[in-house]
Amino acid sequence: MVIELWGSADGSENLALKGTATASSVEQNLDRLKAANVNDGSNQTRWASGYADDSWVQIKLAAPTKVAAVTLAWESACATEYRIETSADGVHWTTAATRTPAACGTDVVRLTGAEAASYVRMQGVERNSTWGYSIYEMGVYGTAV
C-alpha cells in the first residue's frame, strides 16, 4: 500500500517495513495471524489479537525516528478507541495520539512529537466487537535520526 502523505517532503517511506513487529497476543496462537504480518507490506495478510481490549501490536524500528505519521489499515475487527504510543527503549511509553475512529478502514494518525522513537505501538483501549483487533498493515512515516 502506498500512501502519499507529503508529496516530496521527508517521511514518504514506510519505515515499518524495515522494523520488527511483536504483539501482546495472537488470536488462538494462529501463525497466519502473527504480529509479523502487520508490517510485511501485504494487505493479503493481517495480525489479529486475542479477545482483550488492552491488546497491542508494536514495531521496533530499524533506527530511531522522529515519527510524523502512523497508518493503520484495519480489518472489520477494529478499535472504537486506541492510542498510538512511542518509546525510546520499549519499556517507557508516551501517548502520541488517542483515536476514536467512526469506522473501520485506513486511519492516518499525524504526530507532532519531536523526540526520536525506536518503538511505535498501537495500544488498544476498546474493541468494536467481541473479536480481537485485526490490522492488515501498520505504517510508520518520519525521519530517521
Side-chain angles (χ1 to χ4, degrees), residues 26-27 30-40 42-49 73-77 131-137:
V26 173
E27 183 178 341
L30 295 170
D31 190 57
R32 65 182 174 84
L33 299 174
K34 64 188 174 191
N37 292 343
V38 83
N39 66 328
D40 65 359
S42 172
N43 279 335
Q44 304 302 309
T45 61
R46 63 187 172 97
W47 162 75
S49 74
W74 291 97
E75 196 249 356
S76 61
W131 300 101
Y133 301 108
S134 183
I135 300 173
Y136 290 111
E137 281 294 302

Side-chain angles (χ1 to χ4, degrees), residues 71-103:
T71 59
L72 297 170
W74 291 97
E75 196 249 356
S76 61
C78 64
T80 55
E81 184 176 352
Y82 70 92
R83 295 187 306 268
I84 296 297
E85 298 177 339
T86 59
S87 174
D89 59 9
V91 175
H92 303 94
W93 294 88
T94 300
T95 298
T98 299
R99 302 290 285 190
T100 55

